[in-house]
Amino acid sequence: MHNVRNIGLLGCGVVGGGVVSALSQNRDHLLQHCGVSFDIVKIAVRDLERSRVDSVQREWLCDNWRDVCEHPEIDIVIEAMGGVDPAFEAVKTALERGKHVITANKELLATYGRELYAIAQANGVTVLCEASALGGVPVLHALDHYFAANRIQKVTAIANGTSNYILTRMREDRVTFAEALAEAQQAGYAEADPSFDVLGQDARFKLQILCRSAFATEVATDDIECVGIPDVDTQDMEVAESLGCRIRLVATAEDDGEVLHASVRPVLVPAHHPLYAVDGVNNALCVDADIVGQVVYAGPGAGSFATASAIVEDLVRLATTANQPRCVHTRVKPVHPVRYPAYLVVHRRYTSHRVGPYTVPFENTALASVDYVGPTSLGVECWVIQGERAHVEQWTAHLAGLCHGEVRWYPFVEAPKAYPAGLPVQHLDASLRFVAAE
């Protein structure tokens, strides 16, 4: 006899409707391969008269979330409301009533995750949230199971499909940020108010969730450095490409044992890095661990079926004893910005004034290496610097005081191994003199 689990949904918009469609479409497959029948009992919605996907039955609908969270026959509640209020109260109530909860709500988990996990543990139930991290990419399941024998040292992710789409369009067709954003909104990838995505907040919430699974560490939202993409322009894209790189909005966290380093910001990704080729609305995660090395996960990060896929996988995980999540005892650590391996400093020359390699003093030996790079056709001059971030920032401020034009900097997610052929490069040698590259 197959296993029957009764389901209640909170919300039936893009995500909730996708879940209903996925369960209907793959009902026979789930029965055959997993031995589980997921039966929807109730769906709480704001508007009872709004049109729904064809597989939604009218008798399932109600307009009070308590009718779902307090229903005696419901085993698992899927939260697809979004936001924090009333989602927090609804999830809290469901957990206190002894119901498992599955959610795609990264804002809820980033704000109240620690409290909700404690309530779940106290009531002998589980919170699962695969869809809250990278949409349809099964990264939390992998972090919970595959890396149990490894110590994860670093996670690096493209975690926001909207920003990645915008940056891809800017690079491919040299459209402006505003033009690419308008395209994203027209295609349904960006909201009318896109600030949550383009300012990096969405990726920051997701990085909090990844840190919990990867490092068993609770991180406050405001402790994570966060820089968005509105200031990135097409000239930045051209400079990056001249160096054999692409600009991506990347969420990074690294654990050194005592401190967690975490940042979300646009960075330069060299061609040899796995995130270089992740375009459009796709998401990706690189996991660096002490035994296995680097493992990469990539796939669709947005859309009703990508999210629904992750939610249904969580349903199966709850219903099959072989896939129960392991217990994670989290801790709190100090959080500092990421220590990137290299930085690009760009001087935009609005006049014919050129700083040149010898103008800036290099007495600071904390800078491990400095390369002066000359993509002269772009009206810029660049320095690729490896060293402590604080020293790079001091050096950049000093440069800004010496020259006409604008000085800006980007970190590299990984130091460049080589520069494109034909690019003029001068290296700072041990005697603090610039010498031409071979």
Side-chain angles (χ1 to χ4, degrees), residues 148-165:
N150 279 259
R151 286 185 295 177
I152 296 174
Q153 299 158 327
K154 182 178 179 181
V155 293
T156 313
I158 294 175
N160 182 262
T162 300
S163 293
N164 203 49
Y165 174 86

Side-chain angles (χ1 to χ4, degrees), residues 37 101 135 181 202 326 350 352 391 401 419 421:
S37 173
V101 170
L181 172 58
D202 176 76
R326 61 188 172 92
Y350 298 139
S352 59
H391 296 299
Y419 297 107

Side-chain angles (χ1 to χ4, degrees), residues 14-164:
V14 173
V15 174
V19 171
V20 176
S21 296
L23 288 174
S24 175
Q25 177 179 316
N26 279 8
R27 183 178 183 85
D28 292 341
H29 172 81
L30 291 168
L31 267 173
Q32 180 179 355
H33 292 272
C34 306
V36 184
S37 173
F38 295 107
D39 294 349
I40 296 174
V41 176
K42 283 286 182 183
I43 304 176
V45 297
R46 291 191 181 93
D47 182 359
L48 292 172
E49 304 307 320
R50 180 181 171 185
S51 61
R52 311 285 172 188
V53 295
D54 292 340
S55 45
V56 173
Q57 299 179 24
R58 180 66 179 80
E59 60 266 26
W60 293 342
L61 301 180
C62 64
D63 59 3
N64 188 336
W65 58 261
R66 291 188 182 277
D67 292 343
V68 173
C69 297
E70 298 176 356
H71 197 292
E73 296 179 9
I74 289 176
D75 306 310
I76 302 169
V77 172
I78 298 172
E79 185 276 309
M81 306 165 81
V84 172
D85 183 27
F88 170 69
E89 189 63 29
V91 169
K92 179 173 177 286
T93 300
L95 295 172
E96 290 173 342
R97 297 297 191 279
K99 303 179 191 305
H100 301 290
V101 170
I102 295 171
T103 180
N105 192 334
K106 56 261 183 184
E107 183 177 7
L108 174 66
L109 293 172
T111 307
Y112 291 111
R114 194 175 190 188
E115 182 176 346
L116 291 174
Y117 284 116
I119 294 171
Q121 185 174 13
N123 288 276
V125 290
T126 300
V127 177
L128 292 181
C129 56
E130 183 65 74
S132 68
L134 267 67
V137 188
V139 294
L140 298 185
H141 184 82
L143 292 172
D144 279 348
H145 291 278
Y146 182 76
F147 293 96
N150 279 259
R151 286 185 295 177
I152 296 174
Q153 299 158 327
K154 182 178 179 181
V155 293
T156 313
I158 294 175
N160 182 262
T162 300
S163 293
N164 203 49

